[in-house]
Amino acid sequence: MDRTAIAERVERIDAVCADPEAEASSIEAALVAARELTGWVEARRGVLVGKLVVRSSFPEATIAEADRTSIAAAHKARERAETLDATPRLAEVLGDGAATAGHIDAVTRAARKLPEARRRELLDRADALADVAGVSTVEQFAKRVELEAKRIESGDGMDRLERQRRAARLRSWVDDDGMWNLRGRFDPVTGVRLDAKLHATVEALFAETTPDGCPDEAIEKQQFLAAHALTRMLDGAGSSKPGRAEYLVVIDADATDQPGPVAQWPIPVEVPTRVLAELAGGADVSTVVVRNGVVLYAPGELNLGRATRLANRAQRRALRGLYRTCAIPGCNVVHDRCELHHVLWWRHGGRTDLDNLLPICTKHHGRVHHDGWVLELGPNRELTLRLPDGTVRSTGPPTIRAA
C-alpha cells in the first residue's frame, strides 16, 4: 500500500467519523479502510521489531516501553515479527491490508507446536497460503494452518502417541473473579491414569456425603466433586493408591457380524494397539463376557443381596461391559460418572444384585426418585421408562457395540 492509498483511507475514515448521518454502507467501508491501515501498520511494525532485535540485547524491554505494555506482549510482538520475516508473501498481504495480525499469529501458534526441524516446512506452506489469508477469517485460516501442521506431523514417521506426548501442556492463570484456573492437555495413556486417580479419590471421599455447597445439577456436581477431590489429594486425602487405570476386554457372544473383543477404557479416545499395550503394563485388565444384554461372566462378587446398599467395584465393572453411558435413552453422561440405581428401590426391599442395578446419571436418578419416573427391566435388560404424563419409552437389550 503506497502513501496515496494510505491517505485516501485516512480521509475516508475521517469523513465518516465526522458525518452524523453516515449510512451503514459508508461505515462498513470505513471499517474496512481501518482494517487495511492496521494491517499496513502491523507489517511496518514487524519490520521495526526485526531491526531492533539485531541491535538490542533485550529488545522485549524496549518494545514494552515503546508500546506501554508488558514483556509478555512484547515477546508476542517479537514472535510475530519473526514469522513475518520468514513468510514474505504473508507480510506483503498484511501490508496491503488484506490480512490481519491475527492471521500471522495463527501461523506462529501452529509453528510453535512443531519441533524446530519441522517449523520451516510449515512456514513455507503457510506462506504459500497467503492468498487464502487474504480472503478468509482468522478462524478459517487458523484451521487451514493447523491442518497443514498435522499433515507435516503425520508424514514425519513419528508414532501418534509420541506426538501426543510431545503436545502435552499444562497452564494456570487467575481470572477476573480471582479464581485460580488450571487447564491441561495430556496423551491418552496419561489421561486414563489421571482420570482413574481422580475418580478413585472422588469415590473414596464422597461416596456417602458431599461437601457443603455441592450443586444438584449433574454436570456441575461432577465438576465440583472433581475439583474438591483434587484439592484434597494435595493433602494426601482420599485414595492412597496411584492412578492405576483399568480397562475391560468385553466379549459379546452375540456379535457374529463383528467378531472379536472390544477394548474399553474410561475416556472416549481412539485406542491404538500400541497405546493398549503400554497401558496394560500399569493397568488392571478385566474380561467381561456378555450375551443379549446379560453378563455371562465378570470377575468379583456380583450379588450382594441386602448386606449393603452400595454397589461394589465388580458390579460397576460388569455393567460397564454393557453400558457406555447412562441407561436412560438419549443420555450421553459416561458410565463412570453415573450412579447405580436399584430398579426395585432399596427402601422397598430391593437387593444390591447385578440384575437389580442400572447406571443412571445424577440428573435422571433424581427424576426417578422425585419426579415419578418408573423404570422396569426385562429379562435381557430391556428398559421400559414410564413418565407421569403417560409417555412410555422402551429400549432393547444394551450392547457395548451399539453404544
Side-chain angles (χ1 to χ4, degrees), residues 281-337:
D284 297 324
V285 183
S286 302
T287 300
V288 175
V289 182
V290 301
R291 172 183 290 165
N292 195 28
V294 176
V295 175
L296 300 182
Y297 168 79
E301 180 56 56
L302 302 181
N303 297 306
L304 304 178
R306 295 287 297 177
T308 176
R309 182 178 63 86
L310 297 176
N312 63 15
R313 185 179 182 185
Q315 290 170 322
R316 283 189 169 276
R317 181 191 301 120
L319 290 172
R320 188 150 57 89
L322 291 171
Y323 300 90
R324 280 194 185 275
T325 64
C326 170
I328 299 300
C331 182
N332 293 321
V333 175
V334 297
H335 177 277
D336 285 350
R337 297 293 184 263

Side-chain angles (χ1 to χ4, degrees), residues 155-223:
D156 67 2
M158 178 180 288
D159 183 85
R160 182 182 181 188
L161 179 59
E162 295 303 321
R163 294 198 302 271
Q164 289 171 326
R165 282 179 169 158
R166 192 184 65 201
R169 298 289 188 276
L170 185 67
R171 73 183 186 94
S172 63
W173 71 97
V174 177
D175 62 24
D176 293 339
D177 292 329
M179 297 289 286
W180 187 76
N181 294 258
L182 188 67
R183 181 176 182 178
R185 298 177 71 243
F186 302 93
D187 65 87
V189 173
T190 303
V192 168
R193 290 170 177 159
L194 288 172
D195 185 76
K197 176 65 175 178
L198 194 58
H199 186 63
T201 304
V202 170
E203 288 291 311
L205 294 174
F206 308 126
E208 296 289 346
T209 60
T210 57
D212 292 339
C214 182
D216 294 326
E217 199 277 325
I219 302 299
E220 291 291 327
K221 180 178 181 180
Q222 293 167 15
Q223 296 174 350

Side-chain angles (χ1 to χ4, degrees), residues 13 16 33 44 68 80 114 139 143 275 285 301 323 326-327 343-344 351 386 394:
I13 295 170
V16 172
R44 295 305 181 271
R68 297 181 182 177
R80 183 184 298 161
L114 293 174
E139 290 76 13
K143 289 180 180 179
V275 174
V285 183
E301 180 56 56
Y323 300 90
C326 170
V343 179
L344 175 59
R351 299 167 64 86
R386 303 183 187 277
S394 301

Side-chain angles (χ1 to χ4, degrees), residues 26 78 93 162 196 199 243 250 276 334 389:
S26 298
R78 177 176 177 172
V93 173
E162 295 303 321
H199 186 63
V250 182
L276 284 177
V334 297
D389 63 1

